[in-house]
Amino acid sequence: MTSEPIIHIENVHKRFGNVHALRGVNLDVYKGEVIVIIGPSGSGKSTLLRCINRLEEFDEGRIVVDGIPLDTAANINAVRTEVGMVFQQFNLFPHLTVLENILLAQRIVRKRSKEEATRIALDLLHKVGIPDKAHNYPIQLSGGQQQRVAIARALAMNPKIMLFDEPTSALDPEMIQEVLDVMLALAREGMTMVVVSHEMGFARAAAHRAILMDDGQIVEEAPPDVLFSNPKQERTKAFLSKVL
Ligand code: ADP
Ligand code: MG
């Protein structure tokens, strides 16, 4: 591990009206690390991920991504171009083909030529295992295929960090593994990843650290084998007894 974290989160608080969704979160993520976040619904997992690329504004604290503090509009834009995000609902543009979905941000944000962007898109579709779907529309694809397009679309921006928010929760069971396999391959290539997921097999295979969040705070963190098999905190034990 290098000394400077690629993501530095310091005492971050976020309130939605009376709901104190993040209550002093501190977390450092290092280049090439894979972090899996687990925890009950409403514990602040999505809010934390969304704060990292400033889809959500935070009220207090500091986040620095790859040396860039999330403060000015220019910095926020700079960070967003380096951070890819994949959501539970794939959020593909329904009126665009798979290829067009992967071209859009490359053309607008990265200013790539159509030829270059197309070549990158087709390479990525090959990488996620659906080279033959370029000219289909999202609705013609299975959920697992759509989510792999969403991953390819994020990767086309050459992100330094990938955030995944429950990427397999909306999928039929038989499609979960094909998405996890793509994520696992990405982890093995050294991508820095922060993944909200309760897929324990993926966490054990891919994650360097697993984190339990509860009530807007990080309750416990450890290597996944340790956290899942031998948790220290009562709240971790209580949560794991429900999901394992
Ligand atoms: P998780 O992803 O762990 O289920 P969230 O981060 O989505 O949790 O939510 C944390 C808390 O913040 C919850 O109480 C949730 O209801 C609240 N919350 C999240 N987003 C909003 C929002 N846009 N407006 C109001 N409350 C929100
Ligand atoms: Mg969530």
Side-chain angles (χ1 to χ4, degrees):
M1 297 284 149
T2 52
S3 52
E4 278 290 291
I6 192 165
I7 306 173
H8 174 69
I9 300 172
E10 188 182 318
N11 190 33
V12 165
H13 287 259
K14 171 67 184 175
R15 292 175 186 80
F16 296 102
N18 292 331
V19 177
H20 200 164
L22 295 178
R23 302 193 302 144
V25 174
N26 295 288
L27 177 66
D28 281 333
V29 180
Y30 292 87
K31 193 168 183 302
E33 256 198 314
V34 178
I35 307 279
V36 164
I37 302 177
I38 63 172
S41 177
S43 58
K45 306 180 300 295
S46 295
T47 304
L48 180 62
L49 275 198
R50 293 166 59 82
C51 282
I52 294 173
N53 63 356
R54 211 31 162 67
L55 285 179
E56 206 73 75
E57 217 173 311
F58 44 94
D59 302 318
E60 214 180 296
R62 216 163 82 91
I63 299 183
V64 183
V65 179
D66 199 22
I68 307 170
L70 280 172
D71 44 24
T72 64
N75 280 1
I76 289 164
N77 274 333
V79 165
R80 282 194 186 137
T81 62
E82 308 301 338
V83 179
M85 185 149 181
V86 174
F87 302 87
Q88 181 176 336
Q89 303 299 340
F90 330 118
N91 296 350
L92 298 176
F93 297 108
H95 61 292
L96 299 180
T97 65
V98 164
L99 180 62
E100 288 162 349
N101 264 279
I102 305 176
L103 291 184
L104 196 61
Q106 292 194 71
R107 301 273 287 135
I108 294 170
V109 181
R110 292 286 187 229
K111 316 261 188 250
R112 287 180 187 145
S113 69
K114 190 163 187 191
E115 293 66 33
E116 186 190 9
T118 301
R119 183 173 50 71
I120 290 169
L122 294 176
D123 279 353
L124 284 167
L125 283 175
H126 188 77
K127 181 180 172 123
V128 301
I130 40 174
D132 52 332
K133 299 295 182 192
H135 301 292
N136 288 100
Y137 285 86
I139 198 170
Q140 298 171 311
L141 272 56
S142 73
Q145 291 169 338
Q146 289 187 56
Q147 191 60 301
R148 286 184 282 156
V149 173
I151 294 172
R153 181 176 62 174
L155 291 176
M157 300 297 287
N158 304 110
K160 293 185 175 164
I161 298 164
M162 285 285 286
L163 309 176
F164 293 86
D165 193 358
E166 305 210 32
T168 60
S169 307
L171 299 177
D172 292 333
E174 71 273 20
M175 291 164 191
I176 290 175
Q177 196 56 46
E178 67 195 36
V179 172
L180 294 178
D181 285 344
V182 169
M183 293 169 61
L184 188 58
L186 205 54
R188 297 245 156 97
E189 287 172 15
M191 177 65 79
T192 306
M193 296 165 58
V194 183
V195 183
V196 175
S197 173
H198 296 121
E199 293 293 336
M200 302 296 177
F202 170 79
R204 285 179 192 272
H208 301 94
R209 280 189 283 160
I211 289 178
L212 179 93
M213 279 190 77
D214 192 18
D215 201 16
Q217 293 181 312
I218 292 178
V219 171
E220 184 165 358
E221 65 165 83
D225 284 332
V226 175
L227 191 86
F228 301 156
S229 311
N230 195 13
K232 289 195 174 57
Q233 304 292 331
E234 286 307 320
R235 281 197 281 178
T236 313
K237 289 177 195 169
F239 177 72
L240 289 172
S241 70
K242 284 177 209 151
V243 298
L244 288 183

